[in-house]
Amino acid sequence: MSPDVVGLVGIILMLMIFLTGMPVTYVMALVGWLGFSYIVSPEAGLQLLARDMVGTFQSSTLVVVPLFTLMGQFALQAGVSKRLYEVAHRFTGAMPGGLAMATVLACTGFGAVCGSSTATAATMATVGLPEMSRRNYSPALATGAVASGGSLGMLMPPSVVLIVYGVLTEASIGRLFVAGIIPALLIAHLFIVAIAVVCWLRPKACPVGESYSWADKFAALREVGEVILVFLLVLGGLVRGWFTEIEAGGVGAMLMLMVGLARRQMTWLAFRKALNDTLWTSCMTMMLVAGAVVFGHFLTITRIPFAVAELVAGLDWPAWAVIVAIGAVYLIGGCIIDALALVMLTVPIFLPIVTGLGFDTIWFGVIIVLLTQMGVITPPVGINVYVVQGIARDVKLEAIFKGSMPFLVALIVGMLILVAFPPIATWLPDQVYQHLAVGR
């Protein structure tokens, strides 16, 4: 068989094995190793497997993953999520659906120190769901807001998905972080609009809460001052070149540890839990990267990515139509494949197409994250939905998926806005880094 046929067989075989429930990282590594061995030689396949696996765990760039993950875990143990929720509640509580809006805002804030979609969803579920249940919110709206709001942790820096994308494409992680800020705020506002629309259509689903004076609102802001300071210091230091991506992660983790100690919430048990959760998440992420690297090398020698790029170029489609088609692939693929695995599987295929059309790599990274956000709330693999259902056991899975649909529409609208106006993602990093270059 020719290499391109072997590549197609490998992709089909991989998708079939996915359905058995075998972990994605092992499927990609297994199929990549077998395919490479078939095309080149068994000896070369074994060398590839060993080199890519060891090389991934020896990669100094990937050290940033456990450090930023540890920063998020320390923030969780320091009670940051509860304080963020309380502040957001005071500003939006008096509005119809105000608690759901507060959940979205708190998810945005917590995502700025966490970087994980599932961790954000799980944390805010424990904080926001009891309050919304006590106020007789619709279970579908409440759980849908938490599951969808948690996905903002993928877009707000420091995002693990953006870090992995930066590693795969050799793009500046600092630029990616800055590029994610405005789109994340845009999506948060679209989520709030989605809640307002639901409340307008079904007023009983969104009770009005108590109102607070402006003095109370601004007084609450003091409770999250250290979180804002840590975020600005880590991102600002990274952008200004005070420290590298790895050092930024270390600084952020240390500062969040100090916040927890200062507030007397970082007990020995909390510290151990943060380390254990960081270890589990980091190993999972790095194993996914290793498996994707093996499979990526297999795809490269089959020349399938280049063939797909040539095929798309020959179709003479408008650039926006190509992006929409890629978006449809992610939307469908996100229904059956883990979001991070989907990114690592598809970026080597789609990146040559996108750059060939003249699109910015940084902008495409933001688009990728938006598309994977959809995957975490769409059936049947929407991981955030399962995380929330594990906490709200009295709410049926179908109800959570149904409650997430208005937010899925908001994500689609957000992606279309970014496709129509790419500077929304590229303007801020261009301005920041241009200013820094002039300053030097």
Side-chain angles (χ1 to χ4, degrees), residues 126-261:
T126 60
V127 175
L129 287 181
E131 287 296 319
M132 286 188 276
S133 176
R134 190 164 62 87
R135 307 284 170 81
N136 297 317
Y137 269 65
S138 161
L141 174 63
T143 53
V146 172
S148 305
S151 70
L152 289 165
M154 302 173 67
L155 190 53
M156 277 296 289
S159 162
V160 173
V161 179
L162 285 177
I163 292 172
V164 172
Y165 175 85
V167 171
L168 290 176
T169 62
E170 298 183 354
S172 166
I173 293 177
R175 280 183 176 269
L176 287 168
F177 280 178
V178 177
I181 295 174
I182 294 179
L185 296 176
L186 170 65
I187 297 300
H189 281 83
L190 288 174
F191 281 177
I192 290 174
V193 171
I195 294 169
V197 171
V198 171
C199 294
W200 177 62
L201 295 174
R202 294 189 290 127
K204 291 184 179 180
C206 316
V208 177
E210 63 268 35
S211 61
Y212 293 88
S213 67
W214 282 104
D216 290 335
K217 293 176 182 178
F218 286 110
L221 283 175
R222 291 197 296 266
E223 292 297 311
V224 295
E226 73 271 23
V227 178
I228 298 173
L229 183 62
V230 169
F231 174 74
L232 293 176
L233 181 58
V234 170
L235 188 61
L238 176 59
V239 169
R240 293 193 63 86
W242 294 342
F243 29 71
T244 64
E245 292 91 347
I246 297 173
E247 292 167 344
V251 169
M254 178 57 68
L255 289 175
M256 288 313 307
L257 174 61
M258 292 172 63
V259 169
L261 292 173

Side-chain angles (χ1 to χ4, degrees), residues 1-18 27-36 38-39 295 298-299 302 304 345:
M1 288 189 292
S2 61
D4 54 347
V5 174
V6 175
L8 289 174
V9 171
I11 293 173
I12 294 171
L13 178 63
M14 181 184 64
L15 295 175
M16 291 175 62
I17 300 177
F18 279 162
V27 176
M28 290 191 293
L30 176 63
V31 173
W33 166 58
L34 291 175
F36 196 92
Y38 181 86
I39 295 175
F295 189 77
F298 162 59
L299 282 183
T302 66
I304 285 181
L345 183 63

Side-chain angles (χ1 to χ4, degrees), residues 9 61 101 119 226 236 248 252 300 335 428:
V9 171
T61 306
M101 295 176 184
E226 73 271 23
T300 300
C335 294
L428 186 59

Side-chain angles (χ1 to χ4, degrees), residues 308-322 353 357:
V308 172
E310 292 171 1
L311 175 63
V312 171
L315 292 175
D316 198 28
W317 283 5
W320 65 267
V322 175
I353 299 173
L357 292 171

Side-chain angles (χ1 to χ4, degrees), residues 61-91:
T61 306
L62 283 175
V63 174
V64 72
V65 173
L67 288 174
F68 276 115
T69 303
L70 184 61
M71 173 181 167
Q73 290 297 328
F74 282 156
L76 172 60
Q77 300 302 327
V80 167
S81 57
K82 294 181 180 179
R83 296 196 294 277
L84 286 169
Y85 183 79
E86 180 59 29
V87 171
H89 175 211
R90 292 197 181 192
F91 277 87

Side-chain angles (χ1 to χ4, degrees), residues 15 46 58 71 92 124 131 148 220 225 256 260 324 330 360 430 439:
L15 295 175
L46 288 173
Q58 285 183 336
M71 173 181 167
T92 64
M124 297 315 303
E131 287 296 319
S148 305
M256 288 313 307
V324 170
Y330 274 92
D360 187 87
D430 287 346

